[in-house]
Amino acid sequence: MTSKKFRIAGSNKQKTNKMKIKLIVLLFGISLIGYSQKKQTTKNSKIKPKTEFVAELMSKMTLDEKIGQLNLPTSGDITTGQANSSNVAKNIEEGKVGGLFNIKSVQKIQEVQRIAVEKSRLKIPLLFGMDVIHGYETTFPIPLGMSATWDMELIKRSAQIAAQEASADGINWTFSPMVDISRDPRWGRVSEGSGEDPYLGSQIAKAMVQGYQGDDLSLDNTILACVKHFALYGAPEAGRDYNTVDMSRIRMYNDYFPPYKAAVDAGVGSVMASFNEVDGIPATGNKWLMTDVLRKQWGFGGFVVTDFTGIPEMIEHGLGDLQTVSALSINAGVEMDMVGEGFLKTLKKSVEEKKVSIEQIDNAVRLILNAKYDLGLFHDPYRYTDAKRAKTEIFTTANRAEARKTAAQSLVLLKNNSQLLPLKKSGTIALIGPLADAKNNMAGTWSVATNQDKSISLLAGITEVAGKKTKVLYAKGSNLDYDAAFEEKATMFGKTLNRDSRSKEDLLAEALKIANQSDIIVAALGESAEMSGESSSRTNLEIPQAQKDLLKELLKTGKPVVLVLFTGRPLVLVQENETVPSILNTWFAGSEAGLAIADVLFGDENPSGKLTATFPRSVGQIPIYYNHKNTGRPLSNKEGKFEKFRSNYIDERNEPLYPFGYGLSYTTFEYSNMKVSAPKMKADETIQLSVEVTNTGDFDGKEVVQLYIRDVVGTVSRPMKELKGFQKVAIKKGSKQTITFTISVEDLKFYNSDLKFIAEAGEFELFLGTDSNTNQKLKMELLP
Ligand code: BGC
């Protein structure tokens, strides 16, 4: 019952349902505002149960109409008023379209749906998809930032709000969650995922699916989720987007598959195939992946959609012509063709030539029609096109307030010397940097539905939160980078930073002038929104040079400097870490970013975010991740000093700059009295592991208590540490809490070399602490 902000909508509900709700409201004493109830009242009773309904419909379909259901074009030139004359519209009329994506606005969607249900022969409604990745118009932090909250309720809630807004605007299907594990921050799409850890990634995958889909897909504020990109998309060679992936199966099963599987276990309705190859065969045509793993091993019952032009891209991969790769894809177990038109153009021929069976096509059509049925579209094709909802449920004050709170939780305090932060709400602040007054960069990458103009810049946020007693001066200080061509690539999709034509000297002089008039400098530097995301791989992970130079000059003034860092990925921050007293990493925190960052800067919110991806010391260390193996030649000294003939570098340390799980608070937490309830357990028993955490600082705060386990001896080599539990707890200053984890045999299991998921008897080390570097440990034994 966290959904207080919803309004009970819809008048066509059954009385009994209403009464039940009233009762719940009374019982819990809360105002249950808003979950729309099922619309399956009278209409529902008129339509047959799913299996029967779909079978009957399919019996009326021609082969062309069946193939049409497998086709997913993008909206193309469809816009209100001209829908009827567009090519896509003609295809819809002819029953050649199963769904459309990336049309925005309830009116347009209603108009297009009308073509399907009034003009096509069988009146089959369309799916309307969109990349609703981290919120709709109310935009939440980029997924990497969301993951840094380590708060599953918040994450689920963000997906619920996204579903509520998207469904109010006509969308019934989102291409999210993106759960690709990545250990490579060169890859720009790390911004879209939840970082490097399979356990945390799995929890988040589940929370997202539950948030979007709820318990009942046919409610008008829940939408179909699509877990992507299946599989291994986060491990491209050299971090270059769309590049080859090559990985052992044991690594796939242990480290990369778990979040996809968690989404399937949570009931995700659709899966998107990834662009990359898996074991030599592109995922889009990979039968082992799509049928053996996904359906047979994991029991997935929904449909698989390709990624954008995934089918024709297999021609470039070298797998054959369009007919061949289309047949390969459907025979592998892929049901829907996004934009590629390979199915539309070739499947009929392949059926005639017996390269694809009619059963295979029928199966695909059935799965897509099932999803439409589950969404309630056959009961009411206009279910998601209520213009009233579009006016009242999108970008609401309540949703924005939640986004602001959530964004504040996603920020990670990387450094805070001499408690420079939080700032006082008085005196003069010089806010300097190309990202300080950049509202259209706040939402970050993949924010298709965001109205960038309405996002809150850092300048606006600080000015509002600091209040009247504080003077805020602003100067740009530098452009994003010296190279204008680079800036262009980094500010696509309207995310301009309005490149300043003044010389770097002039920009700097203006900045130094206000710096010298101020008590403190807040430098807003880092990546622009489109420096990460799709097709934004980088080989250099530093802050662009123009901004590094600016920062150096600001430090030279002798004024205290706070670096407010914007980034969509782990950056290399060695210099900044050495020279700047306080660093607050803010990712791209969404439409309310400016306010949320200001809330944290001024201490209205105490930072509690923790990194979910390792920040390297140098690009040469990549791939870098905490749950690595030991090797046969680990370093023998704890200080990380170089040792010849040991696994290390002659020019860099092994450890990262900031480890997985790391993040500071304005307060401090002390861990003590770690205890295990028993030293040994049998497979059918559990053990309690507890620790006392005391807030020893001056602020109330939240801590993410992290549990890691090491399987000391195995039949295969096992990681040094693996996250197996975490609890985010609020602890008041001066007080103490006992945190308890229950360890069962499930936490000790892994895929062995036969790919069997088992636990092996023997010794385990249990670590508890504030990040993955923790050395506080106890031992336990799993008995045979
Ligand atoms: C991306 C997907 C996205 C799709 C549709 C592709 O380029 O890889 O993540 O869902 O486009 O917009």
Side-chain angles (χ1 to χ4, degrees):
M1 293 289 162
T2 50
S3 47
K4 283 193 222 159
K5 300 275 162 14
F6 284 99
R7 176 181 58 80
I8 293 184
S11 50
N12 54 346
K13 317 293 184 268
Q14 283 177 332
K15 255 191 169 170
T16 45
N17 268 348
K18 271 191 176 170
M19 280 173 59
K20 266 190 217 155
I21 288 174
K22 276 188 186 156
L23 198 66
I24 293 169
V25 171
L26 284 175
L27 280 176
F28 291 95
I30 57 164
S31 55
L32 208 202
I33 331 166
Y35 259 122
S36 311
Q37 294 301 295
K38 261 188 193 172
K39 283 192 181 169
Q40 295 162 263
T41 50
T42 41
K43 268 184 204 152
N44 190 25
S45 52
K46 281 191 196 145
I47 121 167
K48 293 188 172 153
K50 183 161 73 181
T51 318
E52 229 177 298
F53 179 90
V54 169
E56 207 174 292
L57 178 57
M58 283 178 61
S59 71
K60 296 181 198 146
M61 292 172 84
T62 63
L63 178 57
D64 286 320
E65 282 165 335
K66 287 178 179 172
I67 292 170
Q69 284 303 305
L70 316 184
N71 183 32
L72 177 70
T74 186
S75 54
D77 52 358
I78 283 203
T79 48
T80 316
Q82 62 175 49
N84 293 324
S85 61
S86 81
N87 203 16
V88 183
K90 191 166 144 276
N91 279 349
I92 297 171
E93 262 185 67
E94 290 172 2
K96 288 182 183 162
V97 176
L100 266 184
F101 70 102
N102 285 354
I103 310 190
K104 186 162 187 280
S105 109
V106 73
Q107 287 80 11
K108 287 182 199 170
I109 289 178
Q110 195 171 54
E111 186 179 340
V112 177
Q113 190 70 296
R114 183 158 292 129
I115 305 175
V117 295
E118 289 182 10
K119 299 208 171 155
S120 74
R121 191 178 75 91
L122 290 172
K123 309 184 182 337
I124 302 175
L126 300 170
L127 291 172
F128 288 95
M130 189 187 269
D131 289 283
V132 181
I133 307 296
H134 48 112
Y136 192 69
E137 283 193 24
T138 302
T139 313
F140 288 81
I142 55 167
L144 188 60
M146 283 303 296
S147 70
T149 66
W150 295 61
D151 186 328
M152 297 311 116
E153 273 309 309
L154 271 190
I155 289 173
K156 181 172 165 187
R157 185 77 192 117
S158 76
Q160 269 171 353
I161 290 175
Q164 181 203 12
E165 291 197 1
S167 63
D169 216 12
I171 302 297
N172 48 42
W173 182 24
T174 175
F175 304 138
S176 171
M178 189 279 216
V179 305
D180 303 320
I181 294 294
S182 188
R183 296 165 164 181
D184 193 334
R186 292 171 299 183
W187 187 54
R189 300 194 83 170
V190 286
S191 54
E192 285 176 65
S194 298
E196 70 193 38
D197 186 66
Y199 177 84
L200 179 64
S202 299
Q203 307 292 318
I204 293 175
K206 180 174 154 197
M208 296 286 287
V209 171
Q210 289 175 342
Y212 289 130
Q213 297 192 164
D215 296 329
D216 182 351
L217 260 185
S218 75
L219 298 181
D220 48 16
N221 59 10
T222 55
I223 59 178
L224 188 70
C226 181
V227 66
K228 71 188 188 186
H229 306 82
F230 190 58
L232 320 180
Y233 183 37
E237 286 180 356
R240 202 179 73 220
D241 210 358
Y242 321 124
N243 203 4
T244 310
V245 172
D246 194 1
M247 188 183 291
S248 67
R249 291 212 173 164
I250 196 167
R251 179 170 273 185
M252 291 181 201
Y253 276 83
N254 280 310
D255 301 332
Y256 284 76
F257 279 174
Y260 308 111
K261 180 170 185 298
V264 170
D265 291 344
V268 73
S270 65
V271 168
M272 187 184 292
S274 57
F275 289 125
N276 55 282
E277 63 179 62
V278 172
D279 245 351
I281 302 173
T284 313
N286 194 315
K287 189 166 188 175
W288 173 75
L289 192 66
M290 297 303 171
T291 299
D292 296 357
V293 176
L294 184 62
R295 321 244 179 208
K296 292 190 184 153
Q297 293 174 20
W298 299 353
F300 176 63
F303 71 92
V304 176
V305 60
T306 73
D307 202 345
F308 204 105
T309 61
I311 290 176
E313 285 179 28
M314 285 196 283
I315 304 171
E316 300 285 349
H317 277 282
L319 276 274
D321 61 13
L322 190 63
Q323 186 186 353
T324 309
V325 295
S326 302
L328 186 71
S329 187
I330 193 152
N331 286 334
V334 169
E335 282 78 32
M336 202 173 217
D337 173 357
M338 186 194 283
V339 185
E341 297 202 346
F343 285 176
L344 199 64
K345 289 178 183 153
T346 70
L347 278 191
K348 195 172 185 185
K349 188 159 179 254
S350 291
V351 171
E352 284 158 10
E353 292 171 3
K354 305 217 172 334
K355 289 176 176 150
V356 172
S357 69
I358 190 71
E359 289 75 29
Q360 193 79 46
I361 307 253
D362 279 350
N363 188 50
V365 176
R366 189 177 306 111
L367 294 176
I368 288 163
L369 295 179
N370 281 349
K372 292 184 179 184
Y373 187 100
D374 291 341
L375 281 166
L377 288 170
F378 289 116
H379 311 133
D380 176 7
Y382 301 109
R383 152 152 305 176
Y384 303 93
T385 58
D386 172 352
K388 235 191 291 156
R389 281 190 63 208
K391 285 205 189 91
T392 55
E393 293 185 25
I394 300 174
F395 207 58
T396 60
T397 311
N399 290 353
R400 294 180 65 189
E402 293 216 32
R404 176 173 175 177
K405 282 254 163 230
T406 306
Q409 303 280 314
S410 75
L411 310 192
V412 184
L413 184 63
L414 296 175
K415 189 178 171 194
N416 194 23
N417 265 20
S418 326
Q419 297 208 306
L420 181 56
L421 288 175
L423 304 176
K424 291 188 201 68
K425 292 185 180 174
S426 60
T428 305
I429 296 173
L431 176 62
I432 298 171
L435 297 162
D437 186 20
K439 61 181 169 186
N440 50 4
N441 265 256
M442 295 295 105
T445 190
W446 276 117
S447 43
V448 180
T450 306
N451 188 340
Q452 290 171 8
D453 255 5
K454 293 190 185 158
S455 291
I456 312 289
S457 71
L458 183 57
L459 177 58
I462 287 190
T463 308
E464 181 174 328
V465 174
K468 294 214 170 77
K469 285 194 205 133
T470 318
K471 196 163 167 194
V472 182
L473 306 174
Y474 160 74
K476 187 164 185 177
S478 80
N479 280 311
L480 180 77
D481 191 33
Y482 292 127
D483 180 355
F486 177 83
E487 181 163 330
E488 213 167 295
K489 285 184 265 181
T491 53
M492 293 172 94
F493 311 120
K495 293 177 185 157
T496 174
L497 290 172
N498 301 314
R499 193 168 176 82
D500 204 307
S501 56
R502 282 176 289 173
S503 70
K504 71 173 189 192
E505 290 77 16
D506 285 355
L507 284 166
L508 180 63
E510 183 187 52
L512 291 178
K513 189 168 164 215
I514 66 157
N516 287 319
Q517 293 163 9
S518 305
D519 304 306
I520 189 157
I521 300 169
V522 174
L525 310 176
E527 292 195 319
S528 57
E530 291 301 325
M531 276 173 75
S532 58
E534 187 169 352
S535 190
S536 290
S537 294
R538 294 182 65 194
T539 60
N540 169 355
L541 295 185
E542 310 230 350
I543 294 173
Q545 197 57 46
Q547 299 180 65
K548 288 188 82 148
D549 293 346
L550 168 65
L551 183 60
K552 252 188 243 154
E553 296 300 325
L554 297 178
L555 287 163
K556 276 191 209 156
T557 62
K559 304 268 174 172
V561 177
V562 174
L563 169 57
V564 171
L565 180 74
F566 291 85
T567 183
R569 50 153 60 85
L571 291 177
V572 171
L573 298 168
V574 175
Q575 264 176 28
E576 293 73 16
N577 186 60
E578 266 164 25
T579 55
V580 186
S582 287
I583 307 176
L584 180 68
N585 181 21
T586 69
W587 314 109
F588 292 96
S591 47
E592 314 309 310
L595 290 165
I597 299 168
D599 288 339
V600 171
L601 287 175
F602 291 102
D604 296 342
E605 296 272 358
N606 188 350
S608 60
K610 301 268 193 175
L611 299 178
T612 59
T614 303
F615 275 45
R617 302 178 61 85
S618 121
V619 169
Q621 294 178 311
I622 296 169
I624 184 165
Y625 48 96
Y626 83 94
N627 47 350
H628 60 82
K629 308 278 186 80
N630 200 28
T631 82
R633 294 188 176 196
L635 278 188
S636 62
N637 74 87
K638 287 211 166 64
E639 301 73 46
K641 279 191 272 175
F642 176 74
E643 291 175 41
K644 192 69 182 166
F645 303 121
R646 293 266 147 193
S647 182
N648 55 176
Y649 304 96
I650 57 174
D651 61 353
E652 185 54 275
R653 304 164 65 92
N654 284 2
E655 321 85 76
L657 182 63
Y658 306 123
F660 174 85
Y662 172 82
L664 304 173
S665 163
Y666 293 152
T667 192
T668 44
F669 296 102
E670 245 175 56
Y671 285 64
S672 61
N673 214 4
M674 187 170 161
K675 272 193 233 153
V676 67
S677 61
K680 297 176 187 197
M681 73 177 214
K682 293 196 200 121
D684 58 354
E685 293 172 340
T686 58
I687 271 182
Q688 263 69 43
L689 178 69
S690 64
V691 70
E692 287 172 9
V693 183
T694 312
N695 181 336
T696 48
D698 298 329
F699 297 82
D700 296 346
K702 286 185 185 156
E703 167 71 331
V704 180
V705 182
Q706 300 165 37
L707 162 69
Y708 297 88
I709 299 184
R710 180 180 182 193
D711 185 352
V712 182
V713 178
T715 53
V716 294
S717 64
R718 305 282 299 120
M720 294 298 285
K721 241 176 220 170
E722 291 175 292
L723 184 72
K724 290 293 175 184
F726 58 88
Q727 292 180 40
K728 187 165 187 177
V729 286
I731 307 180
K732 295 230 176 288
K733 64 180 170 196
S735 64
K736 177 167 80 181
Q737 267 186 43
T738 302
I739 314 296
T740 306
F741 292 91
T742 299
I743 295 168
S744 79
V745 73
E746 290 306 308
D747 302 312
L748 311 178
K749 285 186 177 169
F750 63 99
Y751 289 90
N752 68 8
S753 52
D754 297 326
L755 303 181
K756 296 236 161 60
F757 193 54
I758 52 144
E760 293 177 344
E763 187 186 323
F764 292 83
E765 289 176 345
L766 312 173
F767 298 80
L768 283 177
T770 188
D771 61 45
S772 63
N773 247 354
T774 175
N775 278 322
Q776 302 196 46
K777 65 176 177 189
L778 291 173
K779 287 186 195 306
M780 66 159 278
E781 193 185 330
L782 177 67
L783 296 168

